[in-house]
Coordinates of all heavy atoms in Angstrom, one line a residue:
T1 N 0.8 -1.2 0.0 CA 0.0 0.0 0.0 C 0.9 1.3 0.0 O 0.6 2.2 -0.7 CB -1.0 0.0 1.2 OG1 -1.8 -1.2 1.2 CG2 -1.8 1.2 1.2
V2 N 1.9 1.3 0.8 CA 2.8 2.4 0.8 C 3.5 2.6 -0.6 O 3.6 3.7 -1.0 CB 3.9 2.3 1.9 CG1 4.9 3.4 1.9 CG2 3.2 2.2 3.3
H3 N 3.9 1.5 -1.2 CA 4.5 1.6 -2.5 C 3.5 2.1 -3.5 O 3.9 2.9 -4.4 CB 5.0 0.2 -3.0 CG 6.3 -0.1 -2.3 ND1 7.5 0.6 -2.5 CD2 6.7 -1.1 -1.4 CE1 8.5 0.1 -1.8 NE2 8.0 -0.9 -1.1
Q4 N 2.2 1.7 -3.4 CA 1.2 2.3 -4.3 C 1.0 3.8 -4.1 O 0.9 4.5 -5.1 CB -0.2 1.6 -4.1 CG -0.3 0.2 -4.6 CD -1.6 -0.5 -4.2 OE1 -2.1 -0.2 -3.1 NE2 -2.1 -1.3 -5.0
A5 N 1.0 4.2 -2.9 CA 0.9 5.6 -2.5 C 2.2 6.4 -3.1 O 2.0 7.5 -3.6 CB 0.8 5.8 -1.0
Q6 N 3.3 5.8 -2.9 CA 4.5 6.4 -3.4 C 4.5 6.6 -4.9 O 5.0 7.6 -5.4 CB 5.8 5.6 -3.0 CG 7.1 6.2 -3.4 CD 7.3 7.6 -2.7 OE1 7.2 7.7 -1.5 NE2 7.6 8.6 -3.5
E7 N 3.9 5.6 -5.6 CA 3.8 5.7 -7.1 C 2.9 7.0 -7.4 O 3.3 7.7 -8.3 CB 3.2 4.5 -7.7 CG 4.1 3.3 -7.7 CD 3.4 2.0 -8.2 OE1 2.3 2.1 -8.7 OE2 4.0 1.0 -8.0
R8 N 1.9 7.2 -6.7 CA 1.0 8.3 -6.9 C 1.8 9.6 -6.6 O 1.7 10.6 -7.3 CB -0.3 8.2 -6.1 CG -1.2 9.4 -6.4 CD -2.6 9.2 -6.0 NE -3.1 8.2 -6.8 CZ -4.4 7.8 -6.8 NH1 -5.2 8.4 -6.0 NH2 -4.9 6.9 -7.6
V9 N 2.5 9.6 -5.5 CA 3.3 10.7 -5.1 C 4.3 11.1 -6.3 O 4.5 12.2 -6.6 CB 4.1 10.5 -3.8 CG1 5.1 11.6 -3.6 CG2 3.1 10.5 -2.6
D10 N 4.9 10.0 -6.8 CA 5.9 10.3 -7.9 C 5.2 10.9 -9.1 O 5.7 11.8 -9.8 CB 6.5 8.9 -8.3 CG 7.4 8.4 -7.2 OD1 7.8 9.2 -6.3 OD2 7.8 7.2 -7.3
E11 N 4.0 10.5 -9.4 CA 3.2 11.1 -10.5 C 2.9 12.5 -10.2 O 3.0 13.4 -11.1 CB 1.9 10.3 -10.7 CG 2.1 8.9 -11.2 CD 0.8 8.1 -11.2 OE1 -0.3 8.6 -10.9 OE2 0.9 6.9 -11.5
I12 N 2.5 12.8 -9.0 CA 2.2 14.2 -8.6 C 3.5 15.1 -8.7 O 3.4 16.2 -9.2 CB 1.6 14.3 -7.2 CG1 0.2 13.6 -7.2 CG2 1.5 15.7 -6.7 CD1 -0.4 13.4 -5.9
K13 N 4.6 14.5 -8.2 CA 5.8 15.3 -8.2 C 6.3 15.5 -9.7 O 6.8 16.6 -10.0 CB 7.0 14.5 -7.5 CG 6.8 14.5 -6.0 CD 7.1 15.9 -5.4 CE 7.1 15.9 -3.9 NZ 7.4 17.2 -3.4
A14 N 6.0 14.6 -10.6 CA 6.3 14.8 -12.0 C 5.5 15.9 -12.6 O 6.0 16.6 -13.5 CB 6.1 13.5 -12.8
L15 N 4.3 16.2 -12.1 CA 3.5 17.2 -12.6 C 3.5 18.5 -11.7 O 2.7 19.4 -11.9 CB 2.0 16.7 -12.7 CG 1.8 15.6 -13.7 CD1 0.4 14.9 -13.4 CD2 1.8 16.2 -15.1
Q16 N 4.3 18.5 -10.7 CA 4.3 19.6 -9.7 C 4.4 21.0 -10.3 O 3.6 21.9 -9.9 CB 5.4 19.4 -8.7 CG 5.3 20.4 -7.5 CD 6.2 20.1 -6.4 OE1 6.4 18.9 -6.1 NE2 6.7 21.1 -5.7
K17 N 5.2 21.2 -11.3 CA 5.3 22.5 -11.9 C 4.0 22.9 -12.5 O 3.6 24.1 -12.3 CB 6.4 22.6 -12.9 CG 7.8 22.6 -12.3 CD 8.9 22.7 -13.4 CE 10.3 22.7 -12.7 NZ 11.3 22.8 -13.7
E18 N 3.4 22.0 -13.2 CA 2.1 22.3 -13.8 C 1.0 22.5 -12.8 O 0.2 23.5 -12.9 CB 1.7 21.2 -14.8 CG 0.5 21.5 -15.6 CD 0.2 20.5 -16.7 OE1 1.2 19.8 -17.1 OE2 -0.9 20.3 -17.0
L19 N 1.0 21.7 -11.7 CA 0.0 21.9 -10.7 C 0.2 23.2 -9.9 O -0.8 23.9 -9.7 CB 0.1 20.7 -9.7 CG -0.1 19.3 -10.2 CD1 0.2 18.3 -9.2 CD2 -1.6 19.2 -10.7
D20 N 1.4 23.5 -9.7 CA 1.7 24.8 -9.0 C 1.3 26.0 -9.9 O 0.8 27.0 -9.4 CB 3.2 24.9 -8.6 CG 3.6 24.0 -7.4 OD1 2.6 23.4 -6.9 OD2 4.8 23.9 -7.1
K21 N 1.5 25.9 -11.2 CA 1.1 26.9 -12.1 C -0.4 27.2 -12.0 O -0.9 28.3 -12.0 CB 1.5 26.5 -13.5 CG 1.4 27.7 -14.5 CD 1.8 27.3 -15.9 CE 3.2 26.7 -16.0 NZ 3.6 26.3 -17.4
I22 N -1.2 26.1 -11.9 CA -2.6 26.2 -11.8 C -3.0 26.9 -10.5 O -3.9 27.7 -10.4 CB -3.3 24.8 -11.9 CG1 -3.1 24.2 -13.3 CG2 -4.8 24.8 -11.5 CD1 -3.5 22.7 -13.4
I23 N -2.3 26.5 -9.4 CA -2.6 27.1 -8.1 C -2.3 28.6 -8.2 O -3.1 29.4 -7.7 CB -1.7 26.4 -7.0 CG1 -2.2 25.0 -6.8 CG2 -1.9 27.2 -5.6 CD1 -1.3 24.1 -5.9
K24 N -1.1 28.9 -8.7 CA -0.7 30.4 -8.8 C -1.8 31.1 -9.6 O -2.1 32.3 -9.3 CB 0.6 30.5 -9.5 CG 1.8 30.0 -8.6 CD 3.1 30.1 -9.4 CE 4.2 29.4 -8.5 NZ 5.5 29.4 -9.3
K25 N -2.2 30.6 -10.7 CA -3.2 31.2 -11.6 C -4.5 31.5 -10.9 O -5.2 32.5 -11.1 CB -3.4 30.4 -12.8 CG -4.4 31.0 -13.8 CD -4.5 30.0 -15.0 CE -5.6 30.5 -15.9 NZ -5.8 29.6 -17.0
T26 N -5.0 30.5 -10.1 CA -6.3 30.7 -9.5 C -6.3 31.3 -8.1 O -7.3 31.7 -7.6 CB -7.0 29.3 -9.4 OG1 -6.1 28.4 -8.7 CG2 -7.3 28.7 -10.7

């Protein structure tokens, strides 16, 4: 379960710049 969660964290980290851009914009 922790490894599954870590995979999702890795996906989020890979998109972090884009996610942060959305946060900044809104």
Side-chain angles (χ1 to χ4, degrees):
T1 301
V2 176
H3 284 295
Q4 288 174 325
Q6 184 63 53
E7 287 175 12
R8 180 161 296 186
V9 168
D10 293 342
E11 292 170 9
I12 292 169
K13 288 290 189 182
L15 293 165
Q16 185 169 325
K17 286 183 182 180
E18 188 171 333
L19 298 172
D20 288 353
K21 194 182 301 184
I22 294 169
I23 296 168
K24 289 175 187 177
K25 179 180 172 184
T26 56

